[in-house]
Amino acid sequence: MLLAIDAGNTNIVFAVCEGDTIRAQWRAATTTSRTADEYGVWLAQLLELESLNFSDLDQAIIATVVPDALFDLRNLCRRYLHCEPLVVGAPDVTSGLTINYDRPDGVGADRLADAVAAHDRYKGALIVIDFGTATTFNVVSEKGDYEGGVIAPGVNLSAGHCIKLPPFCRAWHFTGR
């Protein structure tokens, strides 16, 4: 089975995948000071609740937008799963899509994973929107190429700032069809 790790700015999501089925999924706060052993102890207990253990996991993939978390997540996979994880966006890992962007290395792992998954599921040209700490809008061509996108503040981040505005600024009215 595969351990998929998505390390975002706010949360790290761990999922155990068996083929196309997600067998289990857990979320932890993103903390760059957490060590591989701390992840290991935490994950071992959660796996046990699902009648799973590290020996059931033989593959791992990591997508992270938090570079400081990568070292310990890699070591978690090496030490407890006894495997070398694939790292989305690493030079030696191919995503299967062409990145038509001025700075291909500037496209985050989250955006690449979104583009690959969306094109795999929905053929044709797409705009992929991901509501996280940041809201990303990504354009995928009909061929599945990454064409670029926009990053905006996430909903919670934006809402937190709106609360501080005077009451007349918070009264939003939308019209249209």
Side-chain angles (χ1 to χ4, degrees), residues 106-124:
V107 180
D110 56 339
R111 300 171 81 186
L112 293 175
D114 286 347
V116 169
H119 183 70
D120 180 65
R121 191 160 193 178
Y122 306 101
K123 303 301 181 207

Side-chain angles (χ1 to χ4, degrees), residues 93-173:
V93 175
T94 57
S95 63
L97 58 90
T98 301
I99 303 171
N100 297 324
Y101 193 69
D102 294 340
R103 292 183 24 245
D105 58 334
V107 180
D110 56 339
R111 300 171 81 186
L112 293 175
D114 286 347
V116 169
H119 183 70
D120 180 65
R121 191 160 193 178
Y122 306 101
K123 303 301 181 207
L126 302 164
I127 296 176
V128 183
I129 304 170
D130 185 339
F131 296 96
T133 305
T135 299
T136 59
F137 300 82
N138 299 291
V139 178
V140 180
S141 75
E142 191 167 345
K143 293 185 339 184
D145 296 340
Y146 181 86
E147 299 294 340
V150 176
I151 302 174
V155 174
N156 288 338
L157 183 63
S158 298
H161 288 287
C162 288
I163 297 299
K164 297 173 186 170
L165 293 174
F168 66 87
C169 292
R170 290 183 291 203
W172 297 357
H173 300 280

